[in-house]
């Protein structure tokens, strides 16, 4: 779930539900966007939503997608782009200015990793950095992103502090 202004966005089954929460005692549904699979995370940035959609749990070779949705008209959300994570799953998103970080989880032969995308053009995210994460140490979580430092925690213990230097 994410909240921005008078709107709340939540994954419900295989769709994105938009709620008008301007009256906190009477929130009501005003928009809906169907998706292929349930959402794992939502990040807001101005008139855009970045959605981490699960991969098909019945197909280990399936890809997960980062969906970019234009919310200029909250009653009619429009997907403007998708970014594919091949043979993997996206577990978490974080945004820092024009850069979006995502944890791509291992499926088959791809290592877990933190990917950084430049989303200054929401219609065409561009990968600008990849940080491999160690195998066998549990699920990784994005604990924070402060200035040029990204903090990744591991469920089996440990913290990675990664320095991200923007390419331009």
């Amino acid at each position: 779930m994410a909240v921005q202004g008078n709107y709340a966005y939540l994954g419900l089954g295989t769709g994105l539900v938009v709620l008008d929460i301007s009256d906190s005692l009477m929130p009501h549904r005003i928009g809906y966007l169907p998706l292929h699979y349930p959402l794992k995370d939502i990040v807001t940035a101005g008139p855009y939503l970045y959605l981490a959609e699960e991969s098909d749990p019945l197909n280990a070779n399936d890809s997960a997608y980062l969906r970019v949705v234009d919310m200029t008209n909250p009653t009619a959300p429009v997907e403007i782009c998708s970014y594919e994570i091949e043979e993997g799953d996206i577990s978490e998103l974080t945004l820092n200015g024009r850069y979006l970080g995502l944890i791509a989880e291992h499926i088959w032969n791809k290592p877990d990793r933190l990917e950084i995308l430049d989303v200054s053009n929401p219609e065409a995210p561009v990968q600008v950095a990849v940080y491999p994460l160690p195998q066998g140490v549990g699920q990784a979580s994005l604990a924070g992103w402060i200035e040029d430092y990204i903090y990744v925690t591991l469920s089996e213990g440990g913290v990675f502090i990664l320095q991200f230097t923007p390419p331009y």
Side-chain angles (χ1 to χ4, degrees), residues 112 132-141 152-160:
D112 290 355
L133 300 171
Q135 297 298 319
V137 291
Q139 183 176 3
S141 294
V152 178
T153 58
L154 305 171
S155 64
E156 298 292 323
V159 175
F160 283 92

Side-chain angles (χ1 to χ4, degrees), residues 92 94 103 140-146 150-154 159-160:
E92 199 169 350
T94 190
I103 299 286
S141 294
L142 290 163
W145 189 342
I146 301 168
I150 304 166
Y151 301 86
V152 178
T153 58
L154 305 171
V159 175
F160 283 92

